[in-house]
Amino acid sequence: MPSPIDATQTPAWHKLTDIHNNLTVDFRAWFEQDAERTEKFSLSAGDLFVDLSKSVMTDEMKTALEELAAEVNLAERRDAMFSGERINITENRSVLHSALRRPKTDSLTVEGQDVVGDVHSVLERVYAFANKVRSGQWKGITGKTIKTVVNIGIGGSDLGPVMAYEALKPFKAENIECRFISNIDPTDAGEKLSGLDPETTLFIVASKTFTTLETLTNARIARAWLLRSLEEQGAPTDGAVAKHFVAVSTALDKVAEFGIDPENAFGFWNWVGGRYSVDSAVGTSLAIAIGPDNFADFLAGFNKMDEHFQNTPFSRNVPVLMGMLNVFYVNFMNAATHAVLPYSQFLHRFPAYLQQLTMESNGKRVRWDGTPVTSKTGEVFWGEPGTNGQHAFYQLIHQGTQLIPADFIAFANPTYAFKDGDADQHELFLGNFFGQTKALAFGKTADEVRAEGTPEEIVSARVFEGNKPTASIMAPELTPSVLGQLIALYEHITFVQGIVWGIDSFDQWGVELGKQMAKALTNAVSGDKAALAAEDQSTRALIEYYRAHRTK
């Protein structure tokens, strides 16, 4: 793969610098002067309607952003990803999460391997297993059907499945509940195992190599709990692990050593990064919960956004324009964070999911050829569902001193329709969605505050500057397909930003050092005096405090 183009040295970057230096953000004036602004900056992608008119965007800027995308060879890099070139440089891997959702009728051969065929071979096995569990054909050691599926994973093997399960709860089978264990903190396993019946519980251990410290520790805890609980109930334990555990892994020897039948291990590939894996076998718990048909619809949603990203000109390409806008906010307007504010309680884990997707991908200080980056990279993604966030942190967005671009997400149709008297509750809810983006854009002037009869001494406290950038994303309703489209949208936004910055968005070496040190500290934490003495003074003091105060 050729060295990245230094975006800061391109003509378009210099043009954007001039635009920014002469830019006065004034949404009131922009809308007053351009009756077609909303139409001009509103886009469609699949089932998503995206309004960028309240973003910091002018005709001149939009053109320059498109030129920058072309000058850093975004189209070529995009096509290289979709075709299976090894664009993950530091790990020498292809990046083919898009292949996970391609239709069975598609064809993609990479290095002599039928990638789409491989994907659907695993999918068929996942679907067959899901149907067995859902129908009651799969039974535990005592012959009872499964009622609770516990997914054990961490990172992408947890964040994706739990987010999607929470988002798609209206589509899940009534007789199936899913729980998720990720944290090595014993509280997590303790809470999630509490109240479960071992005879009706199925565990899915998701670890590609079957060596992940947190996942395997929790899997062993779950196995011990299962065997102990079965024994306490007078149930048989021989062969119980094979009846109550399956794996998402390619390390079949380790799976078998654990006690899981390798026939019940569902694999995925090294070209699937963990944070891009919810649409692989890592989503087995979700496939069980919502069923194969809905899971297939979920994948089709991803694919719909993939095709939009691949085939739509930059001028109407939603991931491209949103990604380039984010670059402008970070590199020209010094935005350090980005809020994602879903007006849907079902998406309450979506911002957390995006934290890994965006920050693990683009939190890099060197480019893919190993040279230092030439600009700021990445931003902190965060958020909570509306309207809860309005009563928490919106104050900072509205009247604080930091620029915080925000994406608002909402759906025209509610899952539950309630009325408060004559008032439609969903309309009250969406009134907040519409009102917040309006307030952030247009604010309230001192004269408008005075006109309300406000005493002069507190006028300034009630002024809202406005001119706070937002993007509004809407869809008819939250379905499996729409969720897939939303996830893929942010995957491609992340990719676009990474290409501009010239970084490898698909490795995550920054995750490794702390994990290595944690393993190295094991002896010191356990009381080895020589190991403790070898630590730095701060670490030694913290461990000594722990050992002095550990009482149970």
Side-chain angles (χ1 to χ4, degrees):
M1 189 173 178
S3 294
I5 292 168
D6 184 349
T8 67
Q9 300 304 308
T10 61
W13 192 279
H14 295 308
K15 185 181 294 186
L16 286 164
T17 301
D18 291 338
I19 290 171
H20 175 257
N21 290 340
N22 294 288
L23 181 68
T24 299
V25 180
D26 189 341
F27 284 120
R28 291 194 183 207
W30 289 354
F31 277 90
E32 288 171 2
Q33 295 165 7
D34 186 354
E36 298 179 351
R37 180 175 176 83
T38 300
E39 181 180 355
K40 190 162 43 182
F41 294 129
S42 293
L43 310 165
S44 294
D47 297 302
L48 305 184
F49 172 76
V50 181
D51 179 4
L52 299 180
S53 65
K54 297 190 189 81
S55 300
V56 176
M57 179 88 85
T58 64
D59 294 328
E60 183 185 24
M61 183 190 306
K62 182 172 180 286
T63 299
L65 290 173
E66 292 168 27
E67 291 171 354
L68 178 60
E71 289 171 6
V72 296
N73 292 335
L74 174 60
E76 291 86 344
R77 299 275 65 80
R78 174 196 62 195
D79 295 345
M81 176 178 70
F82 278 97
S83 67
E85 290 187 31
R86 297 192 179 195
I87 68 168
N88 180 347
I89 298 299
T90 69
E91 296 178 321
N92 192 27
R93 293 175 180 175
S94 299
V95 177
L96 277 171
H97 47 277
S98 60
L100 297 170
R101 52 264 195 156
R102 292 180 69 152
K104 192 174 183 178
T105 52
D106 275 8
S107 176
L108 179 63
T109 300
V110 177
E111 299 176 2
Q113 192 66 28
D114 179 5
V115 173
V116 176
D118 290 346
V119 166
H120 281 273
S121 177
V122 173
L123 267 180
E124 287 169 6
R125 293 183 60 238
V126 169
Y127 289 167
F129 177 72
N131 280 329
K132 285 182 181 179
V133 176
R134 288 168 61 84
S135 67
Q137 183 181 347
W138 181 281
K139 300 184 187 301
I141 191 68
T142 62
K144 292 184 178 180
T145 58
I146 300 300
K147 294 181 180 179
T148 306
V149 175
V150 180
N151 187 88
I152 303 175
I154 198 166
S157 297
D158 170 76
L159 284 166
V162 71
M163 179 276 292
Y165 174 76
E166 292 292 324
L168 300 176
K169 271 189 174 177
F171 297 87
K172 83 173 188 69
E174 291 184 1
N175 61 328
I176 298 286
E177 177 196 0
C178 291
R179 298 187 183 186
F180 300 85
I181 299 174
S182 58
N183 201 331
I184 200 172
D185 180 345
T187 302
D188 196 14
E191 288 290 309
K192 301 299 172 52
L193 295 173
S194 178
L196 293 185
D197 180 353
E199 298 179 59
T200 61
T201 299
L202 174 73
F203 295 95
I204 300 175
V205 184
S207 173
K208 185 187 297 185
T209 62
F210 226 70
T211 58
T212 309
L213 173 66
E214 295 90 343
T215 300
L216 268 295
T217 299
N218 281 326
R220 289 190 294 268
I221 289 170
R223 181 178 60 185
W225 171 88
L226 173 76
L227 298 176
R228 182 179 67 252
S229 299
L230 287 172
E231 186 175 353
E232 290 172 354
Q233 294 180 191
T237 57
D238 287 346
V241 173
K243 290 287 188 180
H244 291 268
F245 277 82
V246 299
V248 177
S249 178
T250 53
L252 298 185
D253 54 340
K254 293 182 175 64
V255 166
E257 183 181 335
F258 186 89
I260 298 172
D261 186 344
E263 290 295 315
N264 298 322
F266 308 101
F268 56 115
W269 304 269
N270 67 6
W271 41 256
V272 182
R275 56 196 177 276
Y276 298 91
S277 66
V278 65
D279 43 342
S280 72
V282 167
T284 297
S285 58
L286 180 65
I288 294 170
I290 66 174
D293 288 346
N294 283 321
F295 195 87
D297 194 38
F298 179 55
L299 299 184
F302 279 92
N303 184 250
K304 189 175 289 189
M305 187 59 66
D306 292 344
E307 292 184 343
H308 172 87
F309 181 49
Q310 280 186 284
N311 301 320
T312 306
F314 287 174
S315 63
R316 305 295 297 171
N317 194 306
V318 175
V320 170
L321 290 176
M322 291 185 71
M324 297 305 295
L325 266 173
N326 287 0
V327 168
F328 189 83
Y329 293 143
V330 171
N331 294 122
F332 294 90
M333 299 187 73
N334 292 316
T337 78
H338 195 113
V340 178
L341 309 170
Y343 277 66
S344 168
Q345 188 61 31
F346 286 121
L347 287 179
H348 70 104
R349 293 293 293 165
F350 192 58
Y353 175 80
L354 293 183
Q355 287 174 353
Q356 184 192 25
L357 172 64
T358 61
M359 293 195 281
E360 194 165 88
S361 295
N362 287 342
K364 309 289 170 64
R365 56 176 291 278
V366 298
R367 303 191 298 169
W368 68 62
D369 62 356
T371 59
V373 296
T374 57
S375 66
K376 292 180 181 177
T377 65
E379 65 261 74
V380 175
F381 269 71
W382 60 283
E384 284 287 332
T387 56
N388 290 5
Q390 294 176 196
H391 293 265
F393 52 77
Y394 277 38
Q395 171 66 42
L396 179 65
I397 302 176
H398 277 285
Q399 291 186 308
T401 58
Q402 301 180 50
L403 176 72
I404 304 174
D407 298 346
F408 284 71
I409 303 170
F411 305 96
N413 293 288
T415 302
Y416 301 103
F418 293 116
K419 287 200 170 185
D420 179 14
D422 293 330
D424 183 304
Q425 188 170 348
H426 190 59
E427 291 185 353
L428 291 171
F429 181 50
L430 288 192
N432 285 274
F433 170 82
F434 301 130
Q436 289 294 331
T437 59
K438 180 178 180 179
L440 285 164
F442 304 122
K444 182 183 284 189
T445 67
D447 287 342
E448 288 169 338
V449 174
R450 290 188 186 99
E452 295 174 342
T454 305
E456 187 62 33
E457 62 269 21
I458 60 171
V459 165
S460 60
R462 297 193 180 185
V463 168
F464 290 79
E465 289 182 320
N467 300 318
K468 312 294 186 183
T470 63
S472 296
I473 303 170
M474 297 194 73
E477 60 185 314
L478 181 55
T479 64
S481 174
V482 165
L483 180 63
Q485 292 170 54
L486 283 169
I487 297 171
L489 169 62
Y490 281 93
E491 288 178 349
H492 299 321
I493 288 170
T494 302
F495 173 82
V496 167
Q497 292 176 258
I499 294 301
V500 176
W501 292 324
I503 58 180
D504 184 345
S505 295
F506 302 101
D507 62 13
Q508 63 281 333
W509 297 107
V511 178
E512 298 301 316
L513 180 58
K515 290 163 61 175
Q516 294 169 3
M517 288 190 172
K519 291 180 181 179
L521 281 164
T522 300
N523 289 339
V525 174
S526 299
D528 184 311
K529 293 183 179 179
L532 183 60
E535 292 300 329
D536 66 272
Q537 60 178 287
S538 174
T539 303
R540 186 166 61 249
L542 291 169
I543 293 173
E544 288 171 345
Y545 177 89
Y546 155 72
R547 292 194 56 80
H549 289 83
R550 174 72 186 265
T551 59
K552 59 181 178 179

